[in-house]
Amino acid sequence: MRKALVLGAGGFIGSHLVNRLKSEGFWVRGVDLKFPEYADTQADDFVIADLRDQQICRAVIDQKFDEIYQLAADMGGAGYIFTGENDADIMHNSATINLNILETARKRNCQRIFYSSSACIYPSHNQEDPDNPNCAEDSAYPANPDSEYGWEKLFSERLYLSYARNYNMECRVARYHNIFGPEGTWTGGKEKAPAALCRKIAEVPDGGEIEVWGPGTQTRSFLYIDECLDGTIKLLRSDKLGPYNIGSEEMISINNLAKLIAELSGKSITINNIPGPVGVNGRNSDNKLIQAELEWAPSKTLKEGLSKTYQWINNQVHKSNQ
Ligand code: NAD
Ligand code: GDD
């Protein structure tokens, strides 16, 4: 039986990935500081552990896994990564995890390992125009990410590329662009814009007002979780190292995102744009490279994914009010 290890299996993408790998017949071990918050894990073995500890990494990578997915990180949306208050923790925690995991995997002869980098590695000077951002893979250097989170991701990308080069490991690196869907963080300060806006709209009555950070003209693209898993697994099993963007090219302004969610909710809302952590003015995935080299591209529209996400968050809001 094929064996997979999912690090960060208690988180949003990791918990969905465990389910996907189980449906493919894998034996799966998940590791995280916590169990998934919204559904029971389907992992065969779930270890609650802190991957900043190298001894723990040795204990959880105690055998040869066919596939390792390294998703564990100290991360969150704009309200977590752009305030500056969490910079030291983000850099220390995530870099330590990556250093520990790669070295342990190498020693255990686990060759094939996926690393989840981020669109946040791209230079801020290429993302000033909301209508025309440049996030092509080869635009990453000279580097100028707008957050310490992005700098840590860039460092760790280079770490994985170095292990591939020097130790012939089959490392695979993706740069995710804002992944969303049911069972993602929707409250508490780490939630990203799609979940935050779904929550705000679910919480107000018809005709109500919601607060949206920044001018609302800043743009992003959002990729639905199922599509993210397709791209992730395809990349890991390919013979290509990356880095590749895994994202959607359906760019939208944040105010228009709020309006689209309001339409799906059936409510009429007013948007109040307030000061807040904004990040770059514009960002969009550029899928030319991954489409050409891996024949991967998302197939669902933003509206389809948002519809499922809004329904799920609306239920969570109503449950938490009971
Ligand atoms: P998430 O926060 O839901 O999951 C990350 C998990 O890592 C959490 O469950 C957390 O408890 C775990 N973790 C953190 N520190 C740990 C430690 N010391 N030991 C063990 N586990 C630890 O985030 P996600 O959205 O599922 O993202 C998964 C990966 O993809 C992360 O590396 C993230 O940076 C990257 N990424 C995500 C997005 C996105 O939009 N979701 C975008 C770009 C990159
Ligand atoms: N989170 C959040 N909550 N964002 C809001 C809100 C709100 O209530 N209102 C407006 N926004 C705006 C933010 O100010 C930002 O300009 C935009 O929506 C997108 O915010 P996020 O979705 O939180 O983050 P991001 O796209 O800037 O960065 C995220 O995506 C990266 C990958 O593309 C983060 O999750 C990163 O961790 C991730 O790597």
Side-chain angles (χ1 to χ4, degrees):
M1 192 184 234
R2 288 174 300 167
K3 291 191 171 184
L5 177 66
V6 178
L7 305 164
F12 168 50
I13 301 172
S15 57
H16 282 276
L17 180 62
V18 167
N19 298 350
R20 175 70 71 90
L21 293 167
K22 283 306 301 167
S23 73
E24 290 185 355
F26 273 79
W27 183 93
V28 181
R29 172 176 290 161
V31 185
D32 204 300
L33 292 170
K34 60 178 178 65
F35 287 109
E37 279 169 56
Y38 308 112
D40 289 341
T41 182
Q42 291 181 25
D44 299 276
D45 181 30
F46 198 100
V47 185
I48 297 288
D50 188 337
L51 296 167
R52 288 170 298 185
D53 181 332
Q54 198 161 33
Q55 299 295 344
I56 297 238
C57 291
R58 289 194 193 123
V60 297
I61 311 181
D62 59 346
Q63 55 189 289
K64 198 166 181 301
F65 287 92
D66 299 293
E67 299 182 354
I68 299 181
Y69 297 86
Q70 198 323 67
L71 301 163
D74 191 347
M75 75 87 75
Y80 187 71
I81 62 171
F82 295 136
T83 61
E85 287 164 18
N86 306 302
D87 290 348
D89 283 350
I90 289 171
M91 295 195 89
H92 173 265
N93 294 340
S94 298
T96 306
I97 294 169
N98 285 311
L99 288 162
N100 283 347
I101 291 298
L102 256 181
E103 183 60 6
T104 313
R106 178 182 78 80
K107 286 186 175 147
R108 297 279 192 222
N109 203 21
C110 293
Q111 295 280 319
R112 196 162 283 266
I113 179 162
F114 172 89
Y115 175 58
S116 49
S117 180
S118 166
C120 288
I121 65 96
Y122 285 112
S124 47
H125 55 256
N126 287 340
Q127 300 172 87
E128 282 168 7
D129 177 358
D131 298 322
N132 203 18
N134 177 11
C135 294
E137 283 85 346
D138 63 4
S139 71
Y141 297 98
N144 185 21
D146 73 334
S147 63
E148 303 304 347
Y149 169 81
W151 279 105
E152 188 284 326
K153 288 289 187 193
L154 202 56
F155 162 76
S156 289
E157 277 191 6
R158 298 187 70 95
L159 188 68
Y160 283 79
L161 301 182
S162 300
Y163 271 68
R165 191 164 56 244
N166 294 160
Y167 296 122
N168 292 322
M169 285 176 70
E170 302 285 353
C171 299
R172 304 286 178 260
V173 179
R175 294 172 180 160
Y176 287 157
H177 288 245
N178 214 318
I179 316 301
F180 74 102
E183 297 177 19
T185 305
W186 60 279
T187 187
K190 289 190 169 181
E191 63 279 12
K192 297 186 293 301
L197 299 180
C198 284
R199 185 197 71 232
K200 289 177 182 182
I201 291 170
E203 283 171 347
V204 292
D206 190 17
E209 178 184 285
I210 64 154
E211 290 183 340
V212 172
W213 300 340
T217 49
Q218 71 269 38
T219 53
R220 296 290 186 275
S221 69
F222 304 97
L223 183 72
Y224 190 63
I225 180 69
D226 292 358
E227 315 254 31
C228 168
L229 299 182
D230 295 341
T232 298
I233 289 171
K234 189 160 196 179
L235 172 55
L236 181 83
R237 295 179 190 161
S238 76
D239 59 359
K240 305 276 199 274
L241 171 65
Y244 290 106
N245 289 326
I246 291 189
S248 158
E249 292 182 320
E250 193 182 339
M251 190 170 80
I252 186 168
S253 75
I254 297 300
N255 274 1
N256 283 341
L257 176 70
K259 287 176 193 163
L260 183 55
I261 298 168
E263 183 193 319
L264 290 165
S265 75
K267 292 180 189 175
S268 154
I269 56 137
T270 307
I271 293 172
N272 181 14
N273 287 110
I274 61 161
V278 169
V280 293
N281 291 334
R283 176 174 290 155
N284 193 14
S285 187
D286 179 330
N287 291 347
K288 283 191 253 350
L289 190 67
I290 191 166
Q291 209 159 357
E293 297 191 356
L294 277 177
E295 294 180 350
W296 177 85
S299 59
K300 286 193 180 71
T301 61
L302 173 63
K303 196 172 178 177
E304 287 171 88
L306 273 182
S307 168
K308 292 183 189 162
T309 309
Y310 181 77
Q311 280 171 35
W312 182 79
I313 291 178
N314 193 34
N315 285 339
Q316 298 300 307
V317 168
H318 285 108
K319 267 197 237 164
S320 68
N321 289 339
Q322 279 165 10

